[in-house]
Amino acid sequence: MEGRLDGNDYQLRDINPSPIDQAFHHQQRRSYKRDEHSPIQEPFLKGMNSVGDKSPRIRLLAFVYQWWFWEVLTIALSIAATAAMIVVLLEFDSRPPPELPSGVTLNAIISLLSTVVKALMLAAVSACIGNLKWQWFQKARALRDFEAFDGASRGPYGAIRMIVRKHSLHMATVGAVITLLALFVDPFIQQIITYPLLPIATSNATVPRSQLYDAHIYIPNLDSGINTGPDFGMKAAIYKGIFTSASPSDVTPDCATGNCTFPLFDTLAICSKCVNVTDHTTSSHGSPGEGSCGGSLPYIQTNHTYALPGSTNIHISSCTSDGDFVSGVAMISTADVSDSMSSNILGISNPITSLALLQFPGVNAEGYQGTYSNATPLAWECSLYYCLNTYNVTVVNNNATTHLVSTYHSETGTPIPYSSLEDTPDGILQRPPNSSVTSGNPTFRIQNGTVAALSQYMNYTLSGQLQTENTEVPYGTFVNDVMQALNITADIAGLMDGLATSMTNYLRELGNSGSDSQAQGTAYSLMVHVHIRWAWLALSGALVVLSIGLLIATIILSARSRLPVWKSSSMETIFHGPENGSGMAGRSLDKVATKAITPEAVFVLGQTADGDWRLVHPLPPVPRY
């Protein structure tokens, strides 16, 4: 068939269109039929009838295209891929890295899913921007805007140009922002997974504790006249506590991995309490009189009495010769105290031992000029007693830390030896009801012979005195080591606390409690774990949500406008592209048409006389606005 159009020859061939092209035109005809204000003219439909538009395949394709099937599907798949990514991350969070076939890593799986999410999401966004392009031209617009929309639907560069244009508040700008922000999805996804070293329980750990103290000392042996005191291990612990500092951390847990934790546990222990009573101590001094003072020369001897709180008195004497101070004590410690001193002053009933201690640093420093008359001693009252200690033990990088959580003392459960040793009962301590430890044996016991032997030994060991440095003594006399340590110690309370800790450590390490001699814990090894930083997933999730909103808004706007659903189809641009006022359309090589259609030219999407939709150019070119 041949004809003439504006003086140019053209030939119309009978072309067999592809199914998708048939679907496009079928969709257009349906759109026109829905619009009462846009009746379909017979000439336009005539060609479609010749290609078998009633084919089910063509009708299916038209339905898919008209009703946004592919875009809804891609968004749905994008949501599914996002959900799959979250499920995978949840599955492996806080777990060792998975060993997948062929060396595939968790990062690779997440990166693949992220790429799928982004690709599907941007496919729908591109279609939305393309269709909003035709919506934009419902009013007269510059042809340059057509290019801006087209570029925004293709990639980030066009999206940037779209955003900076004057119509940046248009709905298509949301799609441009999504397209631009999608560039940052991959870097964000790479930040989601980290692989820190986390502790994993690998074996059991133990730490010593004590449920029982039994030195296997029997009461009849204590009446033999010679008392040997407690076992050598306890004696060593006593001297260690006096001469060196002690800490609960000295008891080493059995932790094979170097990193262990233990639940709170309690143990039989020995505690101390000291009070500085210097300000509550009074003194009285007798009249000087002749006395031997242990020497052959005539000496003047003076007796001194110091009254401490709790009805405890300490008596000492001093000697002078020709006005020089030649004999006296620099420190005195005694266990000969009143029965009420410990309970009334210290609040401790039935202690292992109670002491009253005086230190005279001024008298000792003054040498031959020393005197007790105007010297104020440092006065202490102390007790050692059985108790229950609750500990929290941790081991980090082979460094054990033991924290004392609480301590408990029973007023009736720790008896002192009776005047008749045979009547001394076992010491019994019961875990208090408000204890933070709720498991294990609540009863702690000290064997009666051990109670008596330790009490007697502590009274003996911690009682005595140390003479001043200028006191005349026989050649070769040795000082008492314990008294020397007590004399040079300014912090008596600290020394007694160290002594109690050392004795407690020995009780814990003694191991005569059977199965109760160890507190059970957990050993951990540092292993690589998957750690998910969920905040980095926010960008991908937000873009998917924005894409859903954009698609829904575009579908609604398209339905309300009753325009054909052309999206980003280049076919529609060819068949329905710009036409100037003389009817010149689609003739890109025509010199007149080329001159008439410029980027600044204004077009509007409308219907021609034959019912076809076209970008028509009713006005002369105007400047861009």
Side-chain angles (χ1 to χ4, degrees):
M1 182 184 300
E2 295 184 358
R4 301 281 299 176
L5 179 60
D6 295 336
N8 295 319
D9 296 334
Y10 70 96
Q11 184 176 5
L12 180 63
R13 296 185 177 90
D14 187 9
I15 302 173
N16 185 19
S18 67
I20 193 65
D21 292 335
Q22 298 177 40
F24 286 159
H25 289 282
H26 182 76
Q27 169 264 323
Q28 292 168 356
R29 293 191 295 119
R30 294 188 60 186
S31 298
Y32 302 154
K33 289 178 181 179
R34 289 197 308 269
D35 193 344
E36 296 177 356
H37 303 286
S38 302
I40 303 302
Q41 302 298 324
E42 187 64 23
F44 179 76
L45 299 177
K46 189 175 181 179
M48 287 300 299
N49 292 332
S50 65
V51 295
D53 57 294
K54 295 183 179 181
S55 167
R57 182 182 180 189
I58 295 176
R59 290 185 178 276
L60 175 62
L61 290 174
F63 172 81
V64 168
Y65 198 79
Q66 172 68 24
W67 294 106
W68 299 83
F69 177 83
W70 292 119
E71 288 71 23
V72 172
L73 179 61
T74 55
I75 286 295
L77 292 176
S78 179
I79 295 172
T82 301
M85 185 161 52
I86 294 174
V87 169
V88 171
L89 293 175
L90 285 173
E91 176 67 20
F92 294 105
D93 190 19
S94 300
R95 295 178 59 183
E99 295 183 2
L100 302 175
S102 302
V104 176
T105 64
L106 181 60
N107 291 69
I109 295 176
I110 298 303
S111 180
L112 175 62
L113 290 174
S114 172
T115 302
V116 171
V117 170
K118 184 172 69 172
L120 294 172
M121 171 186 69
L122 290 180
V125 169
S126 176
C128 290
I129 296 175
N131 205 72
L132 290 170
K133 168 181 61 182
W134 302 105
Q135 305 287 342
W136 179 254
F137 277 91
Q138 283 186 280
K139 296 181 180 180
R141 308 289 186 182
L143 190 58
R144 186 182 297 274
D145 292 350
F146 193 92
E147 180 185 6
F149 276 83
D150 221 32
S153 67
R154 288 186 170 88
Y157 177 69
I160 295 175
R161 295 183 62 189
M162 178 76 178
I163 293 172
V164 300
R165 292 184 67 82
K166 291 183 179 180
H167 49 68
S168 57
L169 296 180
H170 188 264
M171 189 191 303
T173 307
V174 177
V177 171
I178 295 174
T179 302
L180 185 60
L181 292 180
L183 291 173
F184 302 96
V185 168
D186 289 338
F188 271 59
I189 292 297
Q190 293 300 320
Q191 297 297 319
I192 291 179
I193 303 176
T194 59
Y195 297 92
L197 291 174
L198 296 179
I200 293 295
T202 55
S203 60
N204 293 330
T206 58
V207 62
R209 61 180 297 275
S210 177
Q211 194 81 30
L212 165 71
Y213 179 34
D214 185 358
H216 305 290
I217 298 173
Y218 302 101
I219 294 294
N221 295 340
L222 298 178
D223 287 332
S224 63
I226 299 178
N227 294 331
T228 59
D231 54 294
F232 284 114
M234 178 58 78
K235 291 180 180 179
I238 292 170
Y239 279 94
K240 178 181 179 180
I242 293 173
F243 299 134
T244 64
S245 61
S247 166
S249 296
D250 292 341
V251 179
T252 305
D254 182 9
C255 177
T257 63
N259 294 280
C260 298
T261 60
F262 297 86
L264 295 180
F265 65 91
D266 50 12
T267 179
L268 182 64
I270 294 176
C271 297
S272 71
K273 187 173 183 180
C274 288
V275 176
N276 188 326
V277 294
T278 299
D279 295 338
H280 304 283
T281 299
T282 60
S283 62
S284 61
H285 308 281
S287 300
E290 290 188 4
S292 64
C293 293
S296 58
L297 298 176
Y299 292 97
I300 302 300
Q301 180 174 320
T302 304
N303 295 323
H304 312 275
T305 300
Y306 294 88
L308 283 70
S311 303
T312 296
N313 296 322
I314 296 179
H315 306 280
I316 63 172
S317 63
S318 62
C319 292
T320 59
S321 177
D322 296 331
D324 293 335
F325 181 83
V326 296
S327 178
V329 297
M331 188 281 305
I332 183 171
S333 174
T334 179
D336 185 14
V337 298
S338 67
D339 293 338
S340 63
M341 187 204 79
S342 180
S343 58
N344 293 342
I345 305 303
L346 301 176
I348 303 299
S349 300
N350 299 337
I352 298 172
T353 184
S354 292
L355 302 173
L357 188 145
L358 297 176
Q359 293 173 310
F360 298 91
V363 175
N364 191 44
E366 291 174 357
Y368 289 107
Q369 306 303 316
T371 177
Y372 291 102
S373 299
N374 55 6
T376 301
L378 298 176
W380 296 85
E381 290 182 338
C382 300
S383 287
L384 291 172
Y385 55 96
Y386 292 106
C387 61
L388 298 181
N389 282 349
T390 299
Y391 291 112
N392 180 21
V393 177
T394 57
V395 182
V396 179
N397 295 330
N398 289 314
N399 294 319
T401 301
T402 302
H403 174 65
L404 177 61
V405 177
S406 62
T407 186
Y408 169 75
H409 168 68
S410 171
E411 295 184 356
T412 59
T414 54
I416 58 176
Y418 284 60
S419 55
S420 173
L421 293 178
E422 294 180 356
D423 296 331
T424 302
D426 287 349
I428 301 294
L429 287 173
Q430 290 289 340
R431 180 183 297 145
N434 62 346
S435 174
S436 54
V437 181
T438 57
S439 61
N441 188 350
T443 302
F444 300 79
R445 186 170 67 88
I446 309 101
Q447 183 253 352
N448 63 345
T450 303
V451 170
L454 183 60
S455 180
Q456 289 180 338
Y457 184 78
M458 295 305 296
N459 290 340
Y460 167 76
T461 301
L462 297 177
S463 296
Q465 61 185 20
L466 183 71
Q467 301 301 113
T468 59
E469 293 179 356
N470 63 316
T471 297
E472 297 180 359
V473 296
Y475 178 78
T477 301
F478 283 92
V479 299
N480 184 309
D481 293 333
V482 174
M483 296 303 108
Q484 185 181 19
L486 294 175
N487 178 57
I488 65 175
T489 300
D491 183 14
I492 294 297
L495 184 145
M496 298 299 288
D497 183 65
L499 171 59
T501 299
S502 180
M503 296 170 71
T504 299
N505 291 348
Y506 172 71
L507 290 182
R508 293 173 58 191
E509 293 176 327
L510 183 60
N512 61 6
S513 304
S515 60
D516 292 328
S517 63
Q518 300 288 335
Q520 302 297 317
T522 304
Y524 294 88
S525 296
L526 293 178
M527 299 180 64
V528 176
H529 269 64
V530 175
H531 174 64
I532 306 304
R533 298 188 291 182
W534 295 101
W536 291 100
L537 193 59
L539 177 62
S540 180
L543 293 182
V544 171
V545 172
L546 286 175
S547 301
I548 295 172
L550 179 63
L551 178 59
I552 293 174
T554 303
I555 293 175
I556 294 174
L557 184 61
S558 177
R560 289 178 177 177
S561 66
R562 294 181 174 274
L563 289 178
V565 181
W566 289 341
K567 304 175 188 176
S568 299
S569 173
S570 58
M571 288 284 191
E572 309 309 330
T573 306
I574 294 173
F575 289 117
H576 308 283
E579 175 183 281
N580 69 1
S582 302
M584 294 178 296
R587 299 172 60 200
S588 58
L589 298 180
D590 186 273
K591 295 182 179 180
V592 179
T594 303
K595 293 179 180 179
I597 303 177
T598 64
E600 287 76 18
V602 175
F603 289 82
V604 63
L605 185 62
Q607 284 184 292
T608 62
D610 61 359
D612 192 10
W613 288 96
R614 281 194 179 277
L615 288 175
V616 295
H617 173 38
L619 301 174
V622 297
R624 180 185 175 189
Y625 63 93

